Amino acid sequence: MSMRFTAKARRGMVALAVVSGLALGATACGGGGGDDDKKPQRSSSASKSGGSQPDTQEGQSEEPLAELKGPSGLLLQITSAVRDSGGFVTVNGALKNDSGTEAVIPSALSGNETEIINNGLSLGGATLVDSKSKKRYYVLRDTDGRPLTTTGFSTLKAGDSIDVFLQFPAPPASSTDVTFQLPLFPSGVIKISG
């Protein structure tokens, strides 16, 4: 009798693990919330991007929420900040080189946390500041300590751009205006949708 109970318990645990995995996968792969039809409306200057186009870029709007000018002619355009039902906010945008020469991406954008620095160049130094709740939110990390943001870029040719994304824990639903901060760039206020 106890073997039968043990077998049923194991089947129940396996079923629970499968359902949890599917739910997590559906949440993580949700993209931009079904706004696929907006992607073709992007400006022609953004089509010069180098590298692959991550799926998380879907749902970007044409008009940026904020434009932040950094060193060496770098320009960060934030195009969307979407609250997800899973409890996080995904910020999408484009990092452009507006200078006439090749720009080396500064390592300071990764921040100064050892765990993030050990995983290579990224935008892991970014934060969202919710002044209403008086809290700062750092870029999320996966179980191996890698930041949930665009990684693996080191230079941008003159006039080129790359699509970028960053994921943060979501502030309370009552907080829609937050300040986006990235080392070496000025701060900018962005509106969270969703």
Side-chain angles (χ1 to χ4, degrees):
M1 179 107 171
S2 66
M3 286 179 48
R4 216 180 302 169
F5 177 75
T6 304
K8 281 185 178 182
R10 282 188 189 148
R11 281 195 302 267
M13 292 300 289
V14 168
L16 179 63
V18 168
V19 169
S20 298
L22 290 173
L24 180 62
T27 301
C29 296
D35 293 331
D36 294 339
D37 57 326
K38 289 185 181 180
K39 192 171 181 180
Q41 297 175 359
R42 296 177 64 208
S43 66
S44 61
S45 64
S47 65
K48 293 181 182 179
S49 68
S52 63
Q53 303 281 334
D55 290 338
T56 56
Q57 301 306 307
E58 295 174 1
Q60 287 187 351
S61 62
E62 202 171 296
E63 187 67 31
L65 298 176
E67 286 190 347
L68 311 174
K69 293 183 180 183
S72 305
L74 292 174
L75 175 69
L76 177 63
Q77 291 182 321
I78 299 174
T79 54
S80 69
V82 180
R83 186 184 307 272
D84 188 293
S85 61
F88 54 88
V89 170
T90 301
V91 175
N92 293 304
L95 184 62
K96 298 181 177 186
N97 179 0
D98 275 352
S99 73
T101 60
E102 183 174 76
V104 175
I105 308 299
S107 61
L109 301 185
S110 296
N112 58 8
E113 294 181 43
T114 305
E115 188 174 42
I116 290 181
I117 293 172
N118 289 340
N119 287 293
L121 191 59
S122 70
L123 300 177
T127 59
L128 289 181
V129 177
D130 176 11
S131 56
K132 185 176 182 181
S133 299
K134 297 181 181 172
K135 290 189 179 179
R136 178 178 302 222
Y137 299 93
Y138 294 89
V139 171
L140 291 169
R141 295 161 184 82
D142 67 9
T143 55
D144 293 325
R146 292 183 298 255
L148 297 181
T149 180
T150 304
T151 60
F153 51 90
S154 59
T155 60
L156 275 178
K157 294 180 183 174
D160 277 1
S161 69
I162 58 170
D163 290 331
V164 295
F165 80 97
L166 307 97
Q167 288 187 326
F168 300 92
S174 61
S175 297
T176 56
D177 292 338
V178 293
T179 303
F180 178 87
Q181 297 177 333
L182 183 65
L184 305 179
F185 284 75
S187 299
V189 177
I190 59 174
K191 184 172 282 298
I192 299 174
S193 61

